[in-house]
Amino acid sequence: MSSEVSLTVFDEGPKTGRARSSDSRGRKASRVARRPRLGLAWRIGLLILLIEGGVLSAVGFLYTTRFAQAVDARVDAQALLPGRLFNAGVLGFQAIADPETMRQVVGERLDVGMILNASGVVLMAGDPGLVGRRAEDIALSDPDLLAEARRGPALRHRPDSVTAASPIYAAGQSEPQLFSYVRIDTSQALQEKRANQRRFVTGSLAALLATSLIIFLSVRLLVLRRLGQSVSAL
């Protein structure tokens, strides 16, 4: 009988030790499960920033491209406007020699303004020294553009200017008798396009900074909450 009792007592010792070991491992696993998963949170935040940056880049490219095209179209229309007004009889030919009037018409700085006859001789100009000279003898003119203007209004684009040549028809005539020749400086339009690009870049950076701040604060709140839960579970 005494041997049986001693065996019973001897067997209960390992069972109790295994139970305690299992309980300790369970607590450790619970504490590990409650630890904040910082790596995953930061990876998600970085992914959000990358997606936002990609979307902003795509939208910015489309927006700035459309804006630049709209500015270019406006400048082209302004360069062609004097010829249309001359043909309609709304604007007198003498206006080509008035810088203030031409500035109001084209909306940009006028570099060259001339009225030429069918032979290419300057009849009126903003610069009186050009009157009476032939187009091919004037360094600022483009004779090839005048040849194109015989078939209709023509434009020539350069990095810093836009030139327009328009045929002017007399009543009942199918062939142009005169030509208007206007070259305007586009530096103001270029500044407008660059200013728009700067505004968009600044706004995009501000949006990315705000998103980064929100992600940082969210992760920090998540960490503090998880730490509080871990402490309370100890």
Side-chain angles (χ1 to χ4, degrees):
M1 179 66 68
S2 61
S3 62
E4 291 179 359
V5 172
S6 62
L7 288 174
T8 302
V9 173
F10 179 79
D11 290 342
E12 287 179 354
K15 289 181 181 179
T16 304
R18 285 195 298 271
R20 291 176 179 174
S21 177
S22 176
D23 183 60
S24 176
R25 287 197 299 270
R27 290 179 180 176
K28 289 181 179 180
S30 177
R31 286 197 295 270
V32 170
R34 289 192 180 97
R35 288 177 185 173
R37 302 175 67 180
L38 296 178
L40 178 60
W42 286 118
R43 284 197 294 270
I44 293 175
L46 179 60
L47 180 60
I48 292 173
L49 288 176
L50 290 176
I51 293 174
E52 183 180 9
V55 171
L56 287 174
S57 298
V59 172
F61 175 78
L62 292 175
Y63 171 71
T64 54
T65 300
R66 293 287 181 86
F67 184 87
Q69 290 173 346
V71 171
D72 292 339
R74 186 196 71 202
V75 173
D76 289 350
Q78 289 172 336
L80 292 170
L81 184 58
R84 294 174 180 169
L85 296 178
F86 289 141
N87 272 302
V90 176
L91 191 65
F93 295 143
Q94 68 276 8
I96 201 74
D98 185 350
E100 181 60 25
T101 300
M102 293 305 297
R103 187 191 64 79
Q104 294 177 4
V105 172
V106 300
E108 303 283 344
R109 194 181 76 182
L110 183 68
D111 281 345
V112 180
M114 301 183 292
I115 298 292
L116 304 96
N117 62 17
S119 301
V121 177
V122 179
L123 302 179
M124 298 180 184
D127 181 0
L130 300 178
V131 177
R133 299 177 61 182
R134 298 185 62 84
E136 55 266 26
D137 298 330
I138 301 173
L140 295 176
S141 69
D142 188 341
D144 293 336
L145 185 63
L146 291 172
E148 292 180 31
R150 292 184 178 276
R151 298 186 296 271
L155 287 167
R156 185 82 75 237
H157 297 90
R158 287 187 171 82
D160 59 348
S161 65
V162 172
T163 306
S166 302
I168 301 174
Y169 299 92
Q173 298 290 326
S174 59
E175 292 293 328
Q177 302 301 310
L178 300 173
F179 296 89
S180 68
Y181 185 94
V182 174
R183 192 178 79 178
I184 59 177
D185 182 272
T186 57
S187 57
Q188 182 178 343
L190 290 174
Q191 291 175 2
E192 187 177 349
K193 288 187 281 188
R194 288 169 183 164
N196 179 68
Q197 292 173 348
R198 287 194 296 269
R199 284 194 299 270
F200 188 86
V201 170
T202 302
S204 299
L205 291 177
L208 287 173
L209 181 61
T211 303
S212 302
L213 182 61
I214 292 172
I215 291 173
F216 173 77
L217 293 177
S218 299
V219 172
R220 186 175 180 181
L221 290 174
L222 175 64
V223 171
L224 293 176
R225 186 177 63 185
R226 291 291 183 84
L227 286 175
Q229 292 175 351
S230 298
V231 171
S232 61
L234 293 178

